[in-house]
Amino acid sequence: MIKLYGFKISNYQAMIKAFLLEKGVAFEELEIRPSKEESFLAMSPMGKVPFIELKEGFLSESTAILGFLENCTADEPMVPADPFRAAQMAQVVNVLELYIGTEAARLNGYVFFGGEFNQSAADDIEPMMVKGLAALNRLGSFSPFVMGDDITIADFFAYYILVNTRLIAKKVWRWDILADVDGLAEWMTMMSQRPFIKLVDDERAVAISKM
Ligand SMILES: N[C@@H](CCC(=O)N[C@@H](CS)C(=O)NCC(=O)O)C(=O)O
């Protein structure tokens, strides 16, 4: 059985867990904190969670994990069958990861863990996020799903990136990023009501409240 390592407050952990549940893949969840210890890096070389363990070995980086899980589950595909559409989906995921999620996450310490505010980082991040969200607005359909009629990996990726990014933008710039992308607010509500996403979000909320 697949082992999923991480901790429940992580948005990336929640993303992989919701995807496993939606795909009906059996897994065991093991609590572990990110670390730079050699023994941890042997499992997840960037010292991050989530990562999974299979009989073949360990796998980290959420896009790689999602791709692997997708390739292992033939039923209910979550990547478009058409190669060009599949590449467009990957393009959306890259925009979300590189120009929105990873940028905003530079302020995680301040927003979620009571760390110091870094004004110069915030000044760098904001224009990149503006561009990223404008790209998302051009590329995404959000009617009803990110890529159109069918749910794909991009929906899971976008939801769990935007859950955190939204809070960061609100606290740092009083910016409602949902207003920057047509249909994003309605899509976010619709995704949050999917039973497995709700289950994972509720667990995450409990973990955050205990922090
Ligand atoms: N690129 C990674 C990002 C995962 C990530 O940022 N995980 C956070 C927890 S939500 C983490 O482990 N942070 C610890 C660190 O960066 O040292 C992925 O796609 O899985």
Side-chain angles (χ1 to χ4, degrees):
M1 191 192 302
I2 292 178
K3 289 182 179 160
L4 170 63
Y5 292 84
F7 61 133
K8 286 194 166 66
I9 65 165
S10 160
N11 57 324
Y12 283 93
Q13 168 90 0
M15 177 196 296
I16 301 301
K17 188 170 175 183
F19 195 73
L20 282 161
L21 289 167
E22 290 261 359
K23 282 276 183 174
V25 176
F27 66 98
E28 181 188 355
E29 201 176 6
L30 295 136
E31 178 90 11
I32 196 167
R33 296 272 158 170
S35 158
K36 304 293 178 233
E37 295 282 326
E38 202 49 48
S39 57
F40 189 100
L41 299 181
M43 301 184 286
S44 175
M46 290 304 292
K48 291 180 190 282
V49 296
F51 62 91
I52 60 172
E53 184 180 2
L54 310 147
K55 62 178 182 334
E56 294 88 345
F58 293 96
L59 194 60
S60 54
E61 292 301 319
S62 298
T63 50
I65 297 172
L66 293 170
F68 170 78
L69 295 173
E70 175 65 19
N71 288 334
C72 293
T73 47
D75 298 345
E76 297 182 43
M78 292 214 194
V79 171
D82 175 70
F84 187 69
R85 288 295 289 158
Q88 286 183 313
M89 185 205 78
Q91 185 182 3
V92 168
V93 168
N94 270 18
V95 165
L96 281 156
E97 180 172 26
L98 296 175
Y99 313 118
I100 302 175
T102 306
E103 285 293 322
R106 291 167 60 194
L107 298 168
N108 275 355
Y110 166 66
V111 174
F112 300 116
F113 304 108
E116 260 183 46
F117 178 59
N118 181 339
Q119 184 65 58
S120 86
D123 290 346
D124 282 350
I125 294 163
E126 188 185 12
M128 188 57 87
M129 282 177 59
V130 168
K131 279 205 258 182
L133 287 159
L136 188 62
N137 196 29
R138 286 176 190 277
L139 298 171
S141 153
F142 296 97
S143 176
F145 296 108
V146 173
M147 298 307 296
D149 291 344
D150 300 312
I151 191 162
T152 64
I153 282 176
D155 289 279
F156 292 88
F157 201 83
Y159 181 78
Y160 285 104
I161 290 299
L162 295 170
V163 155
N164 269 22
T165 307
R166 189 184 171 189
L167 298 177
I168 294 165
K170 202 170 189 178
K171 173 150 179 181
V172 176
W173 301 284
R174 298 180 201 280
W175 172 19
D176 173 16
I177 61 166
L178 298 189
D180 284 37
V181 179
D182 301 329
L184 190 58
E186 296 77 8
W187 168 86
M188 200 85 189
T189 304
M190 185 258 304
M191 288 297 289
S192 72
Q193 289 165 350
R194 288 180 79 83
F196 286 131
I197 289 190
K198 192 167 166 8
L199 188 143
V200 172
D201 284 354
D202 288 348
E203 272 185 15
R204 186 168 178 243
V206 170
I208 290 171
S209 73
K210 285 187 188 153
M211 229 162 71

